[in-house]
Amino acid sequence: MTTSSDIATRLGDPGFTPGIKTLRALLDLSGADDEDTAKLAARAVLRIERQYAGRVAKAVVTRAREAARPARGRLTQLAGRLVAEARDPDGDARAWLLDALGDDDPKTRRAATRALGKLAPAPEITAALEAAFARAASDDDKKALGLALGKAGVAVGQTGRAGLIAEREEARRSPGAIDLLRAPASPLRVFHKTRSGLEEIVKREIGRGARFFAPGVVETKLAGPLAEALAIRTAAEIAFPLADREVEDLPSDVADALASEEALAIFRAFTSTKAPIRFRVALARGGHQRALVWKIAEATRARTKELVNDPKESTWEVAVDVAGSRLRIELVPRGFVDPRFSYREDVVPASSHPTIAAALARVAPRRDDDVVWDPFAGAGAELIERAKLGPYARLFGTDIESAAVAAARANARRAGVSRILVERGDALDPLVPPDGVTTIITNPPMGRRVQRGTHAELLERFVDRAAEVLVPGGALVWIVPEPQRLRARAAEAGFVLESATSLDMSGFSAELSVYVKPGLSRTRKRR
């Protein structure tokens, strides 16, 4: 006699061919503690010859009626597969699914519900699902039943969280996305979010019409395609602000704002879908506050069917902040792939964020014959961002870590950057840099990537090295955490401070500095 243990050892064998004589052992394994074993056993049952379909269905149903959890739910799921694959000639499995809608075990009820929802609509099935929905007490049951009825073309008046969850699942069947080529019907206010300290750099990149709004926020108008706003490389993200309003009841106030014509016009302008537009709520203060988010979602659902709350697969983020008695809401597009930094697949510890790398490249003096060196290249973002800005003679990067060199090379290949060389090397090695360096652009190590002494000591020594390798008129453009100490060392080395900006580095402040080595003026050749 074939035992369950015998069969269990053969389930993973590609040559195992289950027969009717193995059915009992396979059904025994449906209650196995190991879920993977139970799944393999169920798949084996489905491979038993079709001539035994009636016997298999009867055995599965008999065992399901007698089984305890978790085997009961698993066998019910298997019964659903038998019906779906036309392996239920006498209707035993189908009858069990209808009965199981009222089972005491929640997993068994939901397995039956999901299985029936996948079958072709039939009056008996629809009536059974409607009756189960009417008596359902839990949100999870209502969600599953509502989805099953929806597939049968029956609309159910779900309320509360069950209705929200059911609508969310239905909306995921027709996922929308942010269309970067769409433009608004009329110009919209748009916020460009950046690191505090980079606002002036962002303004220069945007050009006419950009203005400082708040620390880390630059405001402008968008009249063209969304891609225009998302092309700004020194800003991390964009957001569309709604008009501020007084706070009375927060969930209702947020829902009123989201259902307003102002908000809906923004959602509609850039979302490519006929299905409901999916959003998630991000509260600026006080953590996640799950209960409050549910209230906002329910209140929004009561006002409009165009929007569905979906915290996991949303195309929009709704940023909610309360300052005093004022409610501030921003709509942040999320359902798209950022085209700016798609090259950045390889990173290393302390890699520069590409927006910071873009800022460093933009503030550096530039000319067509530039020889640019990044002595602490990391994943190569600074060199790649400099390449994006236009002509240069050569890009050269070094790093003491092999992983960083490999990452920089891979990212540069994806970015399509030419005339770039990244090698393993020590920034303080007198043999490392190429001849004729016109610009040093770097975000040097400030933490655990520093392997000799403190970062301040390393950077002080590098100031002397930079003064040696730069041509007259050359520039050192970098970010340093102790600017006063390094300013003094730079002055001793003969550098002139051209500009300095205090920068928020997410936890500490640093200075983005541009130092110039006296000599032949670069002004005539700057781009």
Side-chain angles (χ1 to χ4, degrees):
M1 179 179 176
T2 303
T3 65
S4 298
S5 59
D6 294 332
I7 296 297
T9 60
R10 301 176 60 192
L11 286 176
D13 182 356
F16 172 55
T17 303
I20 191 64
K21 292 183 180 180
T22 65
L23 177 60
R24 180 175 179 178
L26 290 172
L27 294 181
D28 287 341
L29 291 171
S30 67
D33 292 335
D34 182 14
E35 190 170 345
D36 290 337
T37 298
K39 288 180 179 179
L40 289 172
R43 292 172 188 168
V45 170
L46 293 169
R47 299 204 307 273
I48 295 175
E49 298 94 323
R50 279 187 176 270
Q51 62 179 310
Y52 301 112
R55 289 176 60 183
V56 170
K58 283 182 172 60
V60 169
V61 170
T62 298
R63 186 66 67 92
R65 292 184 185 277
E66 298 171 349
R69 58 184 308 182
R72 192 175 181 84
R74 294 171 180 169
L75 289 165
T76 302
Q77 186 177 21
L78 177 56
R81 293 284 303 276
L82 293 173
V83 178
E85 297 183 14
R87 291 175 173 266
D88 183 34
D90 301 319
D92 296 282
R94 186 173 184 272
W96 166 242
L97 295 177
L98 294 170
D99 289 346
L101 291 175
D103 199 86
D104 290 337
D105 176 38
K107 291 189 176 180
T108 299
R109 291 196 305 270
R110 290 164 205 156
T113 299
R114 287 190 290 270
L116 290 169
K118 295 176 182 178
L119 303 180
E124 182 185 17
I125 292 176
T126 300
L129 291 171
E130 288 180 321
F133 185 86
R135 65 175 180 266
S138 77
D139 285 345
D140 288 338
D141 279 349
K142 287 183 177 181
K143 167 191 169 183
L145 289 161
L147 288 172
L149 285 165
K151 292 174 183 178
V154 178
V156 292
Q158 298 189 68
T159 59
R161 297 184 183 182
L164 290 170
I165 294 171
E167 289 179 353
R168 177 187 303 162
E169 295 294 331
E170 184 65 24
R172 287 176 180 173
R173 297 175 62 191
S174 302
I178 299 300
D179 188 341
L180 301 183
L181 299 181
R182 291 192 178 188
S186 57
L188 293 173
R189 289 177 70 207
V190 60
F191 286 165
H192 291 267
K193 300 296 190 69
T194 189
R195 299 289 182 103
S196 180
L198 295 183
E199 298 89 355
E200 289 301 315
I201 300 172
V202 173
K203 284 172 58 180
R204 290 199 295 271
E205 184 179 0
I206 295 172
R208 182 184 300 178
R211 72 179 189 92
F212 177 91
F213 181 82
V217 182
V218 174
E219 180 185 351
T220 188
K221 291 278 190 179
L222 176 65
L226 184 60
E228 290 182 3
L230 292 168
I232 303 304
R233 305 184 74 83
T234 52
E237 66 180 20
I238 66 166
F240 296 97
L242 302 182
D244 290 0
R245 57 186 66 205
E246 289 289 329
V247 177
E248 295 181 4
D249 176 72
L250 185 58
S252 294
D253 296 334
V254 174
D256 287 342
L258 296 183
S260 68
E261 280 304 313
E262 178 190 14
L264 291 176
I266 295 171
F267 286 131
R268 293 167 184 159
F270 305 112
T271 311
S272 59
T273 181
K274 294 182 180 179
I277 297 165
R278 294 170 296 155
F279 72 94
R280 67 180 296 271
V281 176
L283 300 172
R285 304 165 196 264
H288 185 54
Q289 296 189 38
R290 186 178 181 85
L292 177 56
V293 171
W294 273 115
K295 289 180 180 179
I296 292 172
E298 290 170 351
T300 303
R301 179 175 182 261
R303 287 160 174 77
T304 177
K305 300 300 182 186
E306 281 197 65
L307 305 178
V308 169
N309 175 250
D310 189 343
K312 292 184 178 179
E313 299 182 25
S314 56
T315 48
W316 290 87
E317 179 176 282
V318 176
V320 177
D321 189 17
V322 177
S325 63
R326 304 296 293 175
L327 171 62
R328 296 171 180 169
I329 297 177
E330 297 172 3
L331 308 182
V332 184
R334 295 293 190 202
F336 66 96
V337 177
D338 191 335
R340 299 173 300 169
F341 308 119
S342 57
Y343 67 81
R344 189 176 181 259
E345 293 183 15
D346 290 76
V347 296
V348 294
S351 289
S352 293
H353 191 279
T355 57
I356 292 179
L360 280 164
R362 281 194 165 270
V363 300
R366 300 192 301 277
R367 63 192 201 190
D368 294 356
D369 62 346
D370 265 333
V371 176
V372 182
W373 178 35
D374 184 347
F376 309 100
E382 281 74 21
L383 295 173
I384 294 171
E385 290 301 318
R386 169 60 185 88
K388 298 281 185 184
L389 292 174
Y392 54 90
R394 185 181 178 191
L395 302 174
F396 184 72
T398 54
D399 201 286
I400 60 174
E401 296 184 5
S402 298
V405 172
R409 290 173 177 173
N411 288 336
R413 283 195 300 271
R414 278 187 291 269
V417 175
S418 62
R419 301 190 306 283
I420 182 171
L421 178 65
V422 183
E423 295 181 341
R424 187 175 181 186
D426 190 326
L428 301 178
D429 187 336
L431 301 178
V432 162
D435 294 332
V437 176
T438 62
T439 310
I440 296 172
I441 303 176
T442 193
N443 183 5
M446 302 178 194
R448 61 192 180 99
R449 290 190 72 216
V450 178
Q451 297 185 5
R452 296 155 306 172
T454 67
H455 62 264
E457 293 169 346
L458 171 63
L459 300 186
E460 280 188 321
R461 294 172 65 192
F462 182 74
V463 167
D464 297 335
R465 186 78 191 114
E468 293 174 2
V469 303
L470 281 169
V471 301
L476 167 61
V477 183
W478 64 346
I479 296 174
V480 291
E482 298 181 19
Q484 296 303 323
R485 178 174 175 178
L486 288 165
R487 283 187 188 185
R489 186 60 169 260
E492 292 174 6
F495 280 109
V496 175
L497 180 63
E498 186 174 89
S499 66
T501 302
S502 179
L503 182 63
D504 176 12
M505 295 293 287
S506 299
F508 64 95
S509 295
E511 183 179 86
L512 193 164
S513 310
V514 178
Y515 289 93
V516 174
K517 179 178 178 178
L520 179 67
S521 173
R522 297 168 56 104
T523 305
R524 290 171 293 153
K525 296 186 178 181
R526 285 183 66 167
R527 292 181 54 81

